[in-house]
Amino acid sequence: MGTIAAADYKRTTMAVLAYEGVRPFQLSVPCEIFGEVHCEGVDPELWVCALKPGLLRTSSGFSVGTTHSLADVPRADVVFIPSWRLPYQPPPPELIDALIEAHTNGATIVGLCLGAFILAETGLLDGKRATTHWAFSQEFRQRFPAVELDEMLLYVDEGELLTSAGVAAGIDCCLHIARRLYGAHQANRIARNVLAPPYRAGGQAQFIERPLGKNLRDARFRSALDEIVRNLGRKHSIDTLASSLAMSRRSFTRHFHQIMGVSFGEWLINERLLKARRDLEATNESVDQIALDAGFGNTKTFREQFLVRLGVSPAQWRRSFRGA
């Protein structure tokens, strides 16, 4: 992490931005991970820095006050931007200036959830990878086309710039930072104290359900897809489905992509993985049986697709939701 690597240990200063309308959970994540003494040897100095003077009203209605201000941000080693206000408003110029100055001084800047938007506003993310809450990915791409966004990821580490997905992924990102600063052993001790999974890789996919679209104009088309979802264990092909709808393969393929935004093959794999995920979470069926019920030809293919698309194995997914 640049100037704050564990090998060059000094007492790390961490600034957490507070602003009018901040969400208490987002604000508290870096404060809980780094503002409490969870274990010996992890003792950063944490400042909650108010964007403007005076009490700041949170999105939950209560107010917070702090003795630190935006002027302290450029002096910090790590700066956290805990999400941002909705509906989205561009940040004030003085905040952008403070973040750029902090980065110039060698600080690591962390955009948690919608904080990625603020980090992107600085221009520092141009040409780099980032993530944010999946529900705001389209808006992010429209605003910041120069940033390589991957909304499927839990967090993205670009050295001195980090971004995380929504809400709970901020915990994963903070534990990742703790791991970089203090080592895996200490980060795991922090995780145990806060009862969080000790390690979820940044490449693990956000837990996103992508249900069948609700705006399908053709009732027969929707009915056909509903039938497939109810019988994922069977074999399904474009030709068979197109024929049942009295459409040519070409017309069906074009129509499907226009409505669903993905190819039929991509949609079918996503639906099969969605069923498999639900079965892993809610049943005691073996991985082999779950693969069969979801329509995968064999367990090897199922495991490969699961790992490539979700970033973890089926067993790891089950443990994440149900424990060891």
Side-chain angles (χ1 to χ4, degrees):
M1 194 176 286
T3 59
I4 55 174
D8 303 317
Y9 176 77
K10 67 182 182 71
R11 193 176 190 204
T12 307
T13 54
M14 299 190 171
V16 184
L17 182 68
Y19 50 88
E20 189 75 15
V22 67
R23 297 181 179 182
F25 183 86
Q26 302 278 14
L27 177 66
S28 67
V29 167
C31 295
E32 174 62 35
I33 300 299
F34 297 110
E36 302 290 333
V37 180
H38 292 290
C39 55
E40 186 178 353
V42 179
D43 60 343
E45 183 176 353
L46 187 137
W47 309 330
V48 175
C49 299
L51 181 57
K52 293 183 178 180
L55 289 176
L56 299 171
R57 190 173 179 84
T58 70
S59 63
S60 297
F62 62 86
S63 299
V64 296
T66 177
T67 58
H68 291 281
S69 69
L70 190 61
D72 295 308
V73 167
R75 299 190 293 113
D77 296 309
V78 185
V79 179
F80 291 94
I81 312 166
S83 196
W84 191 243
R85 294 183 283 245
L86 286 174
Y88 182 77
Q89 307 162 29
E94 57 268 27
L95 173 55
I96 297 300
D97 292 343
L99 294 173
I100 292 175
E101 184 179 353
H103 183 263
T104 301
N105 293 341
T108 295
I109 315 294
V110 186
L112 301 176
C113 193
L114 299 187
F117 279 70
I118 308 306
L119 187 49
E121 292 275 10
T122 67
L124 297 172
L125 279 178
D126 287 359
K128 293 182 170 60
R129 297 166 61 248
T131 192
T132 191
H133 193 294
W134 62 269
F136 299 91
S137 58
Q138 184 175 355
E139 181 178 357
F140 188 98
R141 285 193 173 90
Q142 290 173 346
R143 288 180 177 273
F144 312 110
V147 181
E148 184 184 340
L149 183 74
D150 189 341
E151 71 273 21
M152 290 297 293
L153 304 182
L154 290 181
Y155 55 87
V156 172
D157 183 340
E158 285 280 24
E160 293 183 342
L161 304 170
L162 291 91
T163 52
S164 79
V167 194
I171 300 175
D172 299 298
C173 186
C174 287
L175 289 173
H176 171 73
I177 293 169
R179 194 172 298 108
R180 286 179 52 170
L181 283 169
Y182 306 108
H185 179 69
Q186 298 293 65
N188 289 346
R189 292 177 67 184
I190 297 172
R192 284 197 297 271
N193 271 13
V194 301
L195 299 180
Y199 179 64
R200 291 201 297 170
Q204 181 168 328
Q206 298 185 41
F207 298 162
I208 307 168
E209 289 196 5
R210 300 185 181 276
L212 188 63
K214 296 180 180 178
N215 60 341
L216 303 186
R217 292 168 292 181
D218 189 333
R220 291 189 308 131
F221 190 86
R222 181 181 179 91
S223 178
L225 298 191
D226 283 340
E227 182 67 19
I228 291 176
V229 171
R230 286 193 295 268
N231 297 281
L232 287 168
R234 300 177 185 174
K235 290 185 177 181
H236 301 282
S237 70
I238 291 178
D239 291 329
T240 301
L241 185 54
S243 177
S244 72
L245 294 169
M247 300 173 70
S248 69
R249 179 187 176 96
R250 182 177 180 181
S251 294
F252 171 81
T253 300
R254 182 175 61 251
H255 187 58
F256 190 96
H257 197 280
Q258 286 175 344
I259 292 176
M260 304 302 293
V262 294
S263 69
F264 173 73
E266 186 76 8
W267 172 82
L268 184 57
I269 289 176
N270 286 340
E271 289 297 324
R272 284 177 165 156
L273 286 174
L274 177 56
K275 173 175 171 51
R277 285 157 48 189
R278 287 171 173 164
D279 288 348
L280 287 167
E281 296 163 19
T283 77
N284 293 319
E285 293 286 355
S286 68
V287 171
D288 290 347
Q289 186 61 50
I290 287 173
L292 183 65
D293 292 343
F296 290 93
N298 56 69
T299 306
K300 182 176 183 293
T301 300
F302 169 59
R303 293 181 189 276
E304 289 174 349
Q305 289 289 340
F306 205 100
L307 184 60
V308 167
R309 293 170 182 269
L310 298 172
V312 293
S313 70
Q316 288 172 315
W317 185 279
R318 176 170 265 170
R319 283 197 297 270
S320 292
F321 283 91
R322 305 185 64 187

